[in-house]
Amino acid sequence: MDLLPHLVALAGMHLLMAMVPGPNTVVVSHFSAARSRRDGLAAMAGVVLASLLWVGLSLAGIGLLLEAGALYRLLRLLGAAYLLYVAFRLLRSALRRQDAATAPPALGWLGQRPFAAGLVTTLSNPKSAVFWTSVFAIALPAAPPTWFYAAVIAVIAVQSALWYGLVALLLSTGIARQGYARIARWLDGLAGLAMLGLGLKLGDEVRREFALRLP
């Protein structure tokens, strides 16, 4: 069985998903530009670990359970609540008339823990499990050997680290940090609006799904 095309297809779909701007990119960008390269890379590590957890759960079949049951809707509501919380913190930071160097962390207690912020941001999106379940249903070969699962996890780990690591490295450069200091309030506002939109969209999807199930 030639498994390389399946692995390449999975790698391509994952890379495209990672490159689409979303909460993961926002949290890594924020810590890289506002804090330091080290904090940006720590946030990246949290995103990578959480991504691997979702991939592992999806490979184990948990994604199907999440998609079908009330647990999935509950997790989505919790994810929406967290995104709205982050949006509130970012927007409040943007409205304060403080210099970026003295402004308090926009993410609350997570603002002091970039690894935890990256981890929680990614784990708060249970749609990742359903996405990976759908992808695996399409791209996984029938009855693949155990080493193939290990190869999938390794490829996703490497690609996630490379992509989000590149984001952290680019946005933590001197030029990027100086630019961020000048427009920090506007960027916090844009990031807050992005998180707000994602949280409201996720919450509305859950509301509509619940309404469809009412008699």
Side-chain angles (χ1 to χ4, degrees), residues 45-101:
V47 168
V48 172
L49 177 58
S51 299
L52 294 181
L53 289 174
W54 279 127
V55 169
L57 290 172
S58 300
L59 284 172
I62 298 298
L64 293 174
L65 296 177
L66 291 174
E67 187 175 19
L71 176 60
Y72 173 59
R73 291 190 293 276
L74 175 60
L75 288 175
R76 295 180 79 189
L77 282 175
L78 292 176
Y82 172 71
L83 291 176
L84 292 176
Y85 165 75
V86 172
F88 168 75
R89 300 288 304 192
L90 287 169
L91 290 173
R92 189 175 70 171
S93 175
L95 292 174
R96 289 179 174 176
R97 296 180 178 274
Q98 291 181 321
D99 183 75

Side-chain angles (χ1 to χ4, degrees), residues 21-196:
N24 296 348
T25 304
V26 170
V27 72
V28 173
S29 301
H30 175 81
F31 279 103
S32 300
R35 299 280 292 275
S36 68
R37 178 171 299 176
R38 179 179 179 180
D39 284 347
L41 291 175
M44 174 273 293
V47 168
V48 172
L49 177 58
S51 299
L52 294 181
L53 289 174
W54 279 127
V55 169
L57 290 172
S58 300
L59 284 172
I62 298 298
L64 293 174
L65 296 177
L66 291 174
E67 187 175 19
L71 176 60
Y72 173 59
R73 291 190 293 276
L74 175 60
L75 288 175
R76 295 180 79 189
L77 282 175
L78 292 176
Y82 172 71
L83 291 176
L84 292 176
Y85 165 75
V86 172
F88 168 75
R89 300 288 304 192
L90 287 169
L91 290 173
R92 189 175 70 171
S93 175
L95 292 174
R96 289 179 174 176
R97 296 180 178 274
Q98 291 181 321
D99 183 75
T102 60
L107 302 180
W109 70 273
L110 287 177
Q112 301 291 350
R113 300 168 177 82
F115 176 82
L119 185 72
V120 173
T121 296
T122 304
L123 288 179
S124 70
N125 184 15
K127 293 178 72 175
S128 297
V130 178
F131 170 83
W132 280 115
T133 300
S134 303
V135 167
F136 290 149
I138 296 171
L140 275 183
T146 303
W147 67 262
F148 184 79
Y149 291 116
V152 169
I153 293 175
V155 167
I156 292 170
V158 171
Q159 289 192 158
S160 297
L162 288 176
W163 173 251
Y164 292 113
L166 178 63
V167 172
L169 292 175
L170 290 178
L171 292 182
S172 61
T173 60
I175 295 177
R177 288 174 60 81
Q178 290 174 9
Y180 183 89
R182 289 193 295 268
I183 58 174
R185 291 179 59 197
W186 297 103
L187 290 181
D188 278 353
L190 289 175
L193 290 175
M195 289 291 194
L196 178 64

